[in-house]
Amino acid sequence: MHAVSDCIFCKIVAGEIPCFKLYENEESLAFMDINPVSSGHCLIVPKQHGADLLAISDAGLCAAACTAKKVARAVKATLDTRGLNLLQCNGEAAGQSVLHFHIHIIPREMDDGMAMNWDIVPGDMAAIGVLAEQIRNNIED
Ligand code: 5GP
Ligand code: ZN
């Protein structure tokens, strides 16, 4: 498994630093976040290093996504939480602090005050359409 020597999540995957492990399979690992934003906050990583969504392999992404679903079910069963956010940050501007792809599972309760949601404000349909065309043209198989 390709690891990056100064990556904290590679070190967790390698067992070089401890974690509260929840689940692992050949390609992914789930463990508790040690700075939880809510009780039960946990993280899923592909074992193979890749900084973000654009850098990881499709296999790593699929493994992490399937593990996220499995762990989310267990978090809900354990905490009987009313909701769950899955969060995945790419780049400093998006709030990414650890440069090894990861998916957050964040348990939510009604009116818990977490500033993660936004009000629905209708957009400019013409501008949305123009952007859709530009993005479509940049999609590669
Ligand atoms: P990001 O800000 O990159 O989306 O999320 C990184 C997450 O990793 C943060 O929620 C942070 O609390 C968590 N984290 C950072 N260092 C460690 C660590 O050594 N162990 C664990 N379990 N989580 C960590
Ligand atoms: Zn890494």
Side-chain angles (χ1 to χ4, degrees):
M1 200 64 66
H2 175 69
V4 169
S5 60
D6 62 350
C7 172
I8 194 133
F9 287 173
C10 281
K11 288 187 174 140
I12 287 176
V13 167
E16 290 167 13
I17 63 171
C19 71
F20 295 99
K21 188 188 294 187
L22 297 171
Y23 176 80
E24 75 177 317
N25 57 24
E26 206 170 310
E27 298 196 77
S28 63
L29 172 70
F31 52 95
M32 300 301 282
D33 196 304
I34 55 168
N35 310 295
V37 291
S38 67
S39 182
H41 181 181
C42 54
L43 302 168
I44 323 295
V45 299
K47 288 186 173 176
Q48 185 146 40
H49 180 87
D52 60 20
L53 178 67
L54 303 185
I56 58 166
S57 66
D58 286 357
L61 175 62
C62 290
C66 290
T67 296
K69 182 176 180 183
K70 191 182 282 287
V71 173
R73 214 183 273 126
V75 168
K76 182 150 177 51
T78 304
L79 293 168
D80 195 24
T81 182
R82 296 291 300 280
L84 292 169
N85 281 116
L86 263 63
L87 175 69
Q88 197 278 307
C89 306
N90 299 280
E92 193 181 349
Q96 185 180 14
S97 60
V98 177
L99 299 182
H100 179 132
F101 176 93
H102 51 281
I103 300 169
H104 296 259
I105 294 179
I106 301 173
R108 298 291 304 273
E109 296 303 330
M110 294 302 292
D111 303 318
D112 61 13
M114 206 177 293
M116 201 186 297
N117 302 103
W118 50 88
D119 294 332
I120 298 293
V121 178
D124 175 336
M125 295 304 145
I128 292 170
V130 168
L131 263 181
E133 173 75 10
Q134 291 173 347
I135 294 167
R136 254 194 314 272
N137 290 338
N138 281 318
I139 290 179
E140 297 166 3
D141 286 327

